[in-house]
Amino acid sequence: AQRVTQPEKLLSVFKGAPVELKCNYSYSGSPELFWYVQYSRQRLQLLLRHISRESIKGFTADLNKGETSFHLKKPFAQEEDSAMYYCALLTDSWGKLQFGAGTQVVVTP
Amino acid sequence: DAGVIQSPRHEVTEMGQEVTLRCKPISGHNSLFWYRQTMMRGLELLIYFNNNVPIDDSGMPEDRFSAKMPNASFSTLKIQPSEPRDSAVYFCASSSHRGRYEQYFGPGTRLTVT
């Protein structure tokens, strides 16, 4: 079964502290994974994807096939990082994404 | 490109009325997705199209919901009759295989059924 699990519904961190959002997946083929971000009352937008292997807004994510994980990390959280974050898995050749339940990040000063 | 366009941005209607949500995908994208977002259920995929053909509508909650894509630049999601539990934000997104399937979301339609 194709599944994306984000175990944390809410993550509260202090400004300047490291933040890590967990994402685990279940997929029989070669996975293609994404992180999307949704700021308050706005549209979802792509934050990064594993094939790009780039850092966006200080965030990085590494695909670990052994642990079937794609955790999102940032060494120093900023207040503007407060948002909902969704992990997503590409599940078919038409572009369907299986989204996780999302993690709400709150960065407090 | 203006991105994915949705209309209306806000809709308030009474229970029993018909509601039509509209979406214009990004030009050149051949896949289109309709999602519903609520606090209780999170982000749900309702239906998606590829080259204007519905691929999977298993997420459509009831027969009251229907979606069409008459051409590559327009899609509608209709609810008839609407009920208060349909209140949600409805997002449309589009993507293409050339864009490596990155989905671009519209601003959403906030629907309130009273």
Side-chain angles (χ1 to χ4, degrees), chain A residues 12-28:
Chain A
S12 185
V13 298
F14 287 107
K15 178 183 173 181
V19 60
E20 181 179 32
L21 288 75
K22 292 185 168 47
C23 172
N24 288 91
Y25 67 90
S26 173
Y27 188 63
S28 56

Side-chain angles (χ1 to χ4, degrees), chain A residues 9 32 34 36 38 41-46 49 51 84 86 90-97 99-101, chain B residues 3-4 10 31 33 35 37 42-43 45 48 50 55-56 91 95 99-107 110:
Chain A
K9 290 188 72 172
E32 192 159 342
F34 306 75
Y36 278 78
Q38 184 179 28
R41 299 176 79 87
Q42 294 186 25
R43 73 185 75 192
L44 278 80
Q45 53 189 288
L46 180 69
R49 58 195 306 168
I51 60 170
M84 178 71 90
Y86 291 95
L90 182 68
T91 60
D92 68 22
S93 59
W94 295 289
K96 177 184 175 182
L97 295 180
F99 283 88
Chain B
V4 176
H10 301 273
S31 289
F33 306 82
Y35 294 90
Q37 186 178 44
L43 189 67
L45 176 64
Y48 67 106
N50 182 261
I55 302 299
D56 184 355
F91 287 103
S95 71
R100 298 303 303 269
Y101 302 113
E102 174 184 347
Q103 286 190 17
Y104 290 80
F105 281 75
R110 185 171 296 274

Side-chain angles (χ1 to χ4, degrees), chain A residues 30-87:
Chain A
S30 184
E32 192 159 342
L33 289 141
F34 306 75
W35 276 100
Y36 278 78
V37 61
Q38 184 179 28
Y39 300 103
S40 180
R41 299 176 79 87
Q42 294 186 25
R43 73 185 75 192
L44 278 80
Q45 53 189 288
L46 180 69
L47 181 61
L48 53 79
R49 58 195 306 168
H50 88 272
I51 60 170
S52 300
R53 300 186 66 80
E54 57 189 347
S55 173
I56 304 292
K57 299 184 179 183
F59 285 96
T60 59
D62 290 317
L63 177 62
N64 185 323
K65 292 186 178 180
E67 296 183 358
T68 60
S69 68
F70 188 55
H71 303 328
L72 183 69
K73 301 175 186 179
K74 184 169 182 177
F76 308 103
Q78 303 298 314
E79 289 180 68
E80 55 265 30
D81 297 328
S82 294
M84 178 71 90
Y85 292 81
Y86 291 95
C87 183

Side-chain angles (χ1 to χ4, degrees), chain B:
Chain B
D1 201 311
V4 176
I5 299 172
Q6 290 186 248
S7 65
R9 294 291 307 276
H10 301 273
E11 176 81 32
V12 180
T13 191
E14 291 184 349
M15 182 174 66
Q17 297 298 306
E18 177 179 296
V19 174
T20 300
L21 311 182
R22 297 173 175 79
C23 175
K24 177 177 167 45
I26 291 173
S27 177
H29 282 191
N30 59 345
S31 289
L32 183 141
F33 306 82
W34 281 102
Y35 294 90
R36 178 172 69 177
Q37 186 178 44
T38 61
M39 290 290 290
M40 290 294 292
R41 301 174 70 93
L43 189 67
E44 303 173 275
L45 176 64
L46 301 177
I47 185 172
Y48 67 106
F49 298 82
N50 182 261
N51 292 327
N52 314 335
V53 175
I55 302 299
D56 184 355
D57 65 355
S58 60
M60 297 285 260
E62 299 169 35
D63 290 345
R64 299 184 296 106
F65 286 69
S66 62
K68 293 182 179 179
M69 191 163 186
N71 57 61
S73 58
F74 184 65
S75 177
T76 59
L77 178 68
K78 187 176 292 187
I79 308 173
Q80 165 65 17
S82 58
E83 296 183 4
R85 59 193 166 122
D86 301 331
S87 297
V89 180
Y90 291 81
F91 287 103
C92 174
S94 69
S95 71
S96 72
H97 71 277
R98 266 186 250 98
R100 298 303 303 269
Y101 302 113
E102 174 184 347
Q103 286 190 17
Y104 290 80
F105 281 75
T109 295
R110 185 171 296 274
L111 174 65
T112 303
V113 184
T114 61

